[in-house]
Amino acid sequence: MTRAEQAKLGGRTPSRYREVSVADVGVPLEPEPLRRLLTARPAYRRTRYLVARNGQHTALLELVAAARTDLFTRVDDVVLLAGPQETEYVVRPDLDTAVPSELARAAREAPQARCVVVEGRYGHVSFILDPAPIRLRVLDVVPPLPAKLVNQVERLLWTADDLPALQVVPDVVDLADLLPTEPSKRAAHYLFQCRGGGMEVDGSTVSYLDEVPARQDWTLLGCARSRQIHDFFYPGGVPQIDTCPRNLARRPLGADGSEQDATVLTKCCLLEEHVETEGRLVVVPWGATFGQLRTALEAVVEQATAQGVLADVDGSP
């Protein structure tokens, strides 16, 4: 997917930040003064965009050149992409400006701006114009904390310089919230999948399936794989509270419907080596590798491409 195609998804960004030059200009940040100034001097052949600054004001321009074969080229025309009233200059030395998702993250600091110019890591400057990141709801369960799937996706996006901008919307389900809210309605004994989560329930006895304890009259808090393991060691029925993230991802959302149009990424322990797509739901194996997550993000982009699932930058997480 080219950056032009990505612009229809995540917002317009340069293909490389070396396409962007920054210049202080002594003329008003208006089309005609800028055109007279910039067509009167050559530009480096790699420069396609110019961040023009006049004091505290910033504008974004595109330099039009017929040929870019020589080291320096004549500028034939200048297109004002965003004027000073709609452009914000943001300094974020912790962000890599080569990564569209990082640019979109910076843009959330200036939601009123059509164009956000970011001075980021290594002192590199880039921009995002008309930010519209793909909204990705990442559903994970806790404990253990932090929510691993959310954390992995966010870390992967730090370096995803060839994907359009994505906005991670964490949807973290606390397993304790799946229990009855009234203590009197809770089971006397719960069986959890493993001790690693460290989960306890006030007023109830707790055991852990991975320790294969002696059979008790308990309620299983687990997924389909947990049920298979339980039935292997303890034949017979058992009350169960389903904790499968894949099933939780299908649950009805809030009345405002704010996430109805979001693609959802989650995990399932019934998957071991592959990624599955089910409508707007993308599912990775439990304990997915970064390679599998990369495949999942590519599937998310394909879903957004097919369905036009976009999100405005509105300051949400």
Side-chain angles (χ1 to χ4, degrees):
M1 178 182 294
T2 66
R3 281 296 170 90
E5 293 169 327
Q6 289 183 9
K8 298 177 182 179
L9 291 175
R12 184 172 179 176
T13 61
S15 60
R16 297 288 188 274
Y17 44 56
R18 68 184 179 187
E19 291 186 330
V20 183
S21 181
V22 182
D24 290 314
V25 297
V27 301
L29 300 181
E30 300 171 358
E32 285 309 313
L34 290 167
R35 182 174 290 110
R36 286 194 299 268
L37 175 68
L38 298 173
T39 56
R41 62 190 191 189
Y44 180 59
R45 68 186 183 92
R46 287 289 188 178
T47 302
R48 180 178 177 185
Y49 302 100
L50 180 71
V51 174
R53 307 209 71 194
N54 187 331
Q56 297 301 311
H57 300 290
T58 305
L60 177 67
L61 305 122
E62 183 173 10
L63 306 184
V64 180
R68 295 180 181 271
T69 54
D70 295 332
L71 186 61
F72 285 86
T73 185
R74 185 186 69 194
V75 176
D76 297 317
D77 198 6
V78 173
V79 178
L80 182 63
L81 297 178
Q85 292 77 28
E86 51 191 1
T87 304
E88 190 78 22
Y89 193 97
V90 174
V91 179
R92 285 294 302 271
D94 57 315
L95 301 185
D96 187 341
T97 58
V99 180
S101 293
E102 294 287 85
L103 293 171
R105 187 152 67 100
R108 294 199 285 276
E109 297 180 8
Q112 76 287 350
R114 273 194 61 233
C115 177
V116 178
V117 176
V118 185
E119 180 181 328
R121 187 172 294 156
Y122 321 116
H124 291 155
V125 175
S126 190
F127 68 87
I128 184 166
L129 180 65
D130 295 319
I134 300 167
R135 185 181 293 270
L136 174 61
R137 183 161 62 98
V138 181
L139 187 144
D140 202 358
V141 294
V142 295
L145 289 166
K148 181 182 177 183
L149 185 61
V150 174
N151 180 261
Q152 281 185 300
V153 172
E154 291 176 337
R155 289 161 60 199
L156 184 56
L157 286 178
W158 291 347
T159 59
D161 59 358
D162 60 337
L163 293 179
L166 289 97
Q167 178 181 342
V168 173
V169 182
D171 185 359
V172 180
V173 178
D174 192 323
L175 295 180
D177 292 338
L178 301 180
L179 301 176
T181 55
E182 296 182 27
S184 61
K185 294 183 178 180
R186 292 178 181 171
H189 196 150
Y190 284 104
L191 179 67
F192 298 140
Q193 299 173 81
C194 66
R195 184 180 288 275
M199 187 172 173
E200 301 287 345
V201 180
D202 291 340
S204 299
T205 301
V206 169
S207 298
Y208 302 96
L209 181 59
D210 62 336
E211 296 178 349
V212 195
R215 176 69 184 259
Q216 302 290 329
D217 183 17
W218 51 42
T219 294
L220 174 65
L221 190 71
C223 61
R225 183 69 80 202
S226 301
R227 182 59 182 266
Q228 291 173 345
I229 295 171
H230 179 277
D231 292 348
F232 177 85
F233 288 109
Y234 314 104
V238 62
Q240 180 179 355
I241 297 174
D242 185 17
T243 64
C244 175
R246 186 172 194 161
N247 291 336
L248 292 173
R250 300 189 182 104
R251 75 195 193 286
L253 299 174
D256 63 354
S258 59
E259 299 303 332
Q260 293 289 355
D261 290 335
T263 300
V264 183
L265 174 65
T266 192
K267 60 189 181 183
C268 178
C269 58
L270 294 180
L271 303 185
E272 295 183 357
E273 300 296 338
H274 69 284
V275 175
E276 288 188 358
T277 300
E278 176 188 323
R280 290 180 177 171
L281 180 63
V282 180
V283 187
V284 299
W286 199 288
T289 65
F290 281 105
Q292 290 166 331
L293 286 173
R294 171 67 196 209
T295 299
L297 290 182
E298 291 171 353
V300 168
V301 172
E302 289 178 4
Q303 289 289 315
T305 303
Q307 302 182 31
V309 178
L310 307 180
D312 293 328
V313 171
D314 56 6
S316 56

